[in-house]
Amino acid sequence: METTLPLEDDFDFEDDVEDFDDTLNYSHKNLNDIDFNELLTTIKSPNRVINFELNSNKLLVVPNEIEKFQSLITLELSNNQLVQLPHEIGSLKNLKNLHLKNNALSDLSFPKEMLQLKQLELINLIGNRFKQFPHQLFHMINLKEIYLSSNQITMLSDQFQNFTKVEVLYLGANRIGNIPDSIGCMCSLIVLNLCDNRLRTLPRSISRLTQLKSLSLHNNQFCALPPDIIRLDLQELSLRNNPLVVRFVRDLTYDVPSLKELAARTIKLHKINYDDKSIPKVLVDYLNSAKSCLNPKCKGVYFESCHKSVKFVDFCGKFYLPLLQFLCSPACTSTSTCQMATTHSDDMNSKFRKVLLG
Amino acid sequence: MTEILNNTKATPVVIKKYFDNTSGLSTQPTSLNELIELLYQAFATNEVNIDYISTIMNNYKPTMGEWKPYIKFQSDRYTRNLVDAGNGKFNLIILCWAESQGSSIHNHADAHCFLKCLQGTLIETKYAWPTIDEEKPMHILQRTEVHEGEVAYINDSIEKPMHILQRTEVHEGEVAYINDSIGLHRIENPSHTETAVTLHLYIPPYDHCNIFDERTSRSNEAKVTFYSIGGRLITNE
């Protein structure tokens, strides 16, 4: 069949660069698979297309011809009816942004070639039918934005340590009951959306997310939050529609302190002097690791053995947050709920001034 | 509004004609620029005809292309994008709500607030102002001695949960209205798969309001800021 496509050799860069539009917009065109196949055969220079917008059509499959679009950086396939991705998707070596919102993708939809997309930076899978967090994503170490809201994910495996570049993680509206510890490894995380799930608590590692600015926890089953949340430099925190009641107070396990700990507590309480000339250095380090009991009336300290209970803490005149308190003994539990938080540095006050709670 | 001399239906119309500066204006703005133009004319004097404002907000049929410079979504929170500062008499603002974003509970600093949904669906939850019970005899919580050197602490905190008055959906094209005498509200985009865009008109403009904690009714003052003005991003801090 004769075609009038220009041959690559005859292509004059200076002439053609004005005419060629590296963005193809075929969104909202009611395209079905047959139309789409036809369309692909008519596109000139597919290997120069950088953005391909195909959202809001009626596509059930992505044809193999997609592999001709080797320069593709952004592929927009949201709001279609895709059930699977083709093997050829792995050949798109420049693909950085893959939008697949509102399709019919599920746990078996990704081909093994998906693992070849190591340069992928954004993947949007909102509104699909995943029951598990797609394990292929754990291998994509260049990901910066992961959108998985509104699926049917029930649990997260503890493999988040690879996501050191991820800045945005949306997991809202799933059925997640627990957040794994490895979430603390996501050192670049700025936005974490966990709303509308079945969460009761967060792992303590959450305090390591030093870049975190926005935390959505609304519509869950939170009764209390780990106190480490104070250390975050949050600007947005949503807690509405969680139980958050004092009635929850069911004190967690209390390990009886060891003799070593009791001796150390006494030394600290009575301010007995010590140094590495009088006792072994390892004991000096141990004594220096003492943590203060958060009961303001108690001057005590604890080491490994502490008592956890829920207490409402008022942050610089703002809202009461129910926090898990680490106290030196059950006797230190305060019964009053109207109590100022202890030992605030000005630093912490200014951190919370910007927090918008809702 | 001008005074009504008696209660018959005819008289208010007559008075409106003589004193109402909006009587000659169109009530069907067909473009963004026309809406803004009508607003300026309606605000030409110091009197505001709120019914007219409500009419044009309801009748205005937006075309999304006009709003493009103000549509800016952020993954961490909703954005407020100032369209027109109305010579200080009103503020016309576009708010962009990404999936599942919502506001805190807030008041409106004695201003009128019109909210028109341009895209998506919002949920508006109205709350009653927190009250202090005045009818019961006072109840003693505690009686303690304060000795030399000891410190006592107290504050005025009210600790009752806030009372929901109403929860409604605001669909595309619909207009909601609130002011401080009606109550407080929270606006949220409940969808996890669709974004939402709303058009807000505040009369007069305000830059501070109070935000409220649903569980305890405690409130704090908050500064209200813009993400962009006239389509240009603002660097805040």
Side-chain angles (χ1 to χ4, degrees):
Chain A
M1 184 162 59
E2 282 268 25
T3 66
T4 50
L5 294 171
L7 297 169
E8 296 308 309
D9 300 327
D10 293 348
F11 170 61
D12 187 331
F13 199 85
E14 261 101 50
D15 274 352
D16 213 30
V17 76
E18 308 278 323
D19 301 276
F20 187 82
D21 191 355
D22 57 23
T23 295
L24 291 181
N25 189 339
Y26 286 97
S27 61
H28 296 95
K29 294 243 186 294
N30 243 337
L31 287 179
N32 60 29
D33 296 306
I34 300 171
D35 300 329
F36 188 34
N37 266 304
E38 262 188 52
L39 166 68
L40 286 182
T41 53
T42 59
I43 289 173
K44 301 179 184 164
S45 313
N47 60 330
R48 290 177 60 203
V49 178
I50 293 181
N51 305 311
F52 204 171
E53 285 166 40
L54 290 158
N55 44 306
S56 306
N57 284 300
K58 291 181 171 14
L59 302 178
L60 291 161
V61 294
V62 179
N64 310 2
E65 275 80 29
I66 200 77
E67 67 180 345
K68 293 193 187 139
F69 292 77
Q70 283 293 308
S71 303
L72 215 51
I73 293 182
T74 300
L75 180 55
E76 234 293 19
L77 285 162
S78 299
N79 297 307
N80 278 289
Q81 291 153 33
L82 299 174
V83 175
Q84 239 187 339
L85 292 181
H87 302 287
E88 287 76 11
I89 197 98
S91 71
L92 299 175
K93 294 279 175 284
N94 291 301
L95 194 65
K96 286 198 180 154
N97 308 308
L98 182 54
H99 296 268
L100 291 161
K101 185 166 112 163
N102 291 332
N103 278 287
L105 299 170
S106 61
D107 302 324
L108 300 171
S109 301
F110 286 165
K112 61 180 181 326
E113 286 78 6
M114 197 76 183
L115 292 170
Q116 292 167 15
L117 294 174
K118 293 217 181 297
Q119 71 294 339
L120 206 61
E121 290 181 7
L122 182 155
I123 186 157
N124 189 335
L125 295 166
I126 291 179
N128 279 285
R129 299 175 195 177
F130 287 95
K131 291 200 167 57
Q132 293 178 23
F133 189 98
H135 62 89
Q136 294 89 346
L137 301 187
F138 289 127
H139 299 280
M140 297 177 185
I141 51 166
N142 284 305
L143 278 174
K144 285 196 189 149
E145 295 175 55
I146 302 176
Y147 298 91
L148 268 163
S149 301
S150 201
N151 277 281
Q152 297 153 30
I153 298 173
T154 47
M155 62 149 277
L156 301 174
S157 57
D158 202 8
Q159 293 177 263
F160 286 77
Q161 61 274 7
N162 287 342
F163 287 147
T164 50
K165 294 189 190 171
V166 174
E167 294 171 5
V168 176
L169 178 58
Y170 264 44
L171 284 166
N174 278 288
R175 298 169 193 178
I176 302 170
N178 200 41
I179 303 294
D181 267 341
S182 53
I183 202 119
C185 301
M186 295 177 71
C187 48
S188 303
L189 201 59
I190 301 175
V191 177
L192 180 56
N193 186 323
L194 297 171
C195 57
D196 276 293
N197 275 291
R198 296 170 188 182
L199 296 171
R200 285 181 220 201
T201 183
L202 290 174
R204 292 200 65 185
S205 58
I206 207 101
S207 63
R208 286 158 49 197
L209 300 176
T210 50
Q211 305 299 310
L212 196 67
K213 296 272 175 276
S214 171
L215 181 57
S216 296
L217 298 176
H218 58 275
N219 298 339
N220 271 292
Q221 300 293 317
F222 282 100
C223 296
L225 299 167
D228 318 274
I229 217 164
I230 314 174
R231 300 210 208 114
L232 299 175
D233 192 15
L234 291 177
Q235 284 172 19
E236 301 289 324
L237 172 62
S238 67
L239 281 169
R240 59 188 182 278
N241 292 331
N242 279 287
L244 294 179
V245 286
V246 182
R247 280 199 293 280
F248 154 79
V249 182
R250 210 181 60 203
D251 300 345
L252 303 170
T253 55
Y254 171 51
D255 297 319
V256 176
S258 63
L259 210 53
K260 174 172 148 192
E261 169 146 4
L262 287 174
R265 288 193 189 191
T266 307
I267 290 172
K268 294 300 267 193
L269 187 66
H270 294 283
K271 299 201 191 351
I272 296 171
N273 284 331
Y274 59 90
D275 59 31
D276 55 14
K277 294 190 182 58
S278 48
I279 53 173
K281 185 167 190 308
V282 68
L283 285 181
V284 172
D285 291 340
Y286 180 76
L287 283 163
N288 290 343
S289 75
K291 298 176 210 60
S292 298
C293 176
L294 284 174
N295 177 356
K297 295 195 199 114
C298 173
K299 295 188 192 56
V301 298
Y302 65 93
F303 293 84
E304 296 96 13
S305 164
C306 67
H307 171 69
K308 300 186 193 82
S309 80
V310 174
K311 184 174 138 167
F312 280 81
V313 178
D314 174 17
F315 287 109
C316 41
K318 270 192 178 287
F319 309 95
Y320 282 165
L321 293 185
L323 298 187
L324 273 178
Q325 294 284 296
F326 298 102
L327 306 163
C328 66
S329 79
C332 280
T333 311
S334 164
T335 50
S336 157
T337 53
C338 295
Q339 194 157 12
M340 282 289 273
T342 56
T343 57
H344 266 299
S345 60
D346 286 327
D347 197 38
M348 234 193 291
N349 280 351
S350 66
K351 276 184 194 173
F352 268 83
R353 209 164 283 144
K354 283 192 278 188
V355 172
L356 285 178
L357 286 185
Chain B
M1 279 294 281
T2 51
E3 229 183 301
I4 295 172
L5 296 174
N6 62 50
N7 279 332
T8 66
K9 284 200 178 133
T11 334
V13 173
V14 169
I15 289 180
K16 260 192 192 175
K17 257 197 186 152
Y18 284 123
F19 297 114
D20 178 7
N21 63 322
T22 61
S23 58
L25 297 178
S26 157
T27 55
Q28 307 268 0
T30 52
S31 74
L32 161 62
N33 287 331
E34 199 189 335
L35 175 67
I36 296 179
E37 178 56 40
L38 289 175
L39 284 170
Y40 270 98
Q41 288 187 43
F43 281 93
T45 66
N46 284 329
E47 281 171 6
V48 170
N49 182 345
I50 287 298
D51 290 336
Y52 174 75
I53 304 295
S54 174
T55 303
I56 58 174
M57 284 296 279
N58 269 290
N59 291 342
Y60 167 59
K61 288 206 176 2
T63 38
M64 285 314 282
E66 293 182 308
W67 296 108
K68 202 155 178 249
Y70 312 103
I71 308 286
K72 298 172 196 305
F73 293 101
Q74 282 290 285
S75 53
D76 60 338
R77 58 164 299 171
Y78 65 92
T79 62
R80 306 176 83 247
N81 305 279
L82 182 65
V83 178
D84 201 295
N87 279 341
K89 293 188 181 177
F90 66 84
N91 267 357
L92 189 64
I93 307 173
I94 287 264
L95 270 67
C96 298
W97 314 80
E99 296 88 343
S100 80
Q101 286 175 352
S103 74
S104 35
I105 303 173
H106 57 274
N107 70 339
H108 297 83
D110 282 329
H112 301 273
C113 162
F114 289 92
L115 181 170
K116 185 180 181 91
C117 177
L118 300 181
Q119 177 189 300
T121 301
L122 285 307
I123 291 187
E124 181 196 20
T125 310
K126 287 201 176 79
Y127 293 84
W129 280 90
T131 56
I132 303 171
D133 278 329
E134 281 161 357
E135 297 187 3
K136 297 189 210 153
M138 294 190 75
H139 167 63
I140 296 181
L141 291 172
Q142 199 180 26
R143 202 170 143 83
T144 39
E145 287 183 346
V146 185
H147 303 112
E148 272 178 41
E150 286 181 347
V151 175
Y153 171 77
I154 193 159
N155 63 33
D156 281 345
S157 65
I158 311 162
E159 264 194 72
K160 284 187 307 189
M162 291 179 70
H163 171 61
I164 294 181
L165 294 171
Q166 199 185 24
R167 203 165 143 88
T168 40
E169 286 186 350
V170 186
H171 304 109
E172 274 181 36
E174 291 178 357
V175 175
Y177 171 79
I178 196 166
N179 65 43
D180 279 354
S181 69
I182 294 173
L184 311 163
H185 73 181
R186 182 202 305 284
I187 302 287
E188 54 191 319
N189 174 9
S191 173
H192 286 272
T193 54
E194 307 307 327
T195 56
V197 178
T198 49
L199 174 64
H200 294 238
L201 179 62
Y202 295 114
I203 307 163
Y206 58 89
D207 56 13
H208 283 85
C209 68
N210 288 307
I211 53 177
F212 295 77
D213 178 7
E214 188 166 6
R215 277 183 313 102
T216 61
S217 301
R218 291 167 61 111
S219 66
N220 275 90
E221 204 184 60
K223 196 160 179 251
V224 170
T225 57
F226 294 116
Y227 181 70
S228 74
I229 292 182
R232 275 196 303 278
L233 297 186
I234 302 299
T235 41
N236 267 325
E237 216 48 54

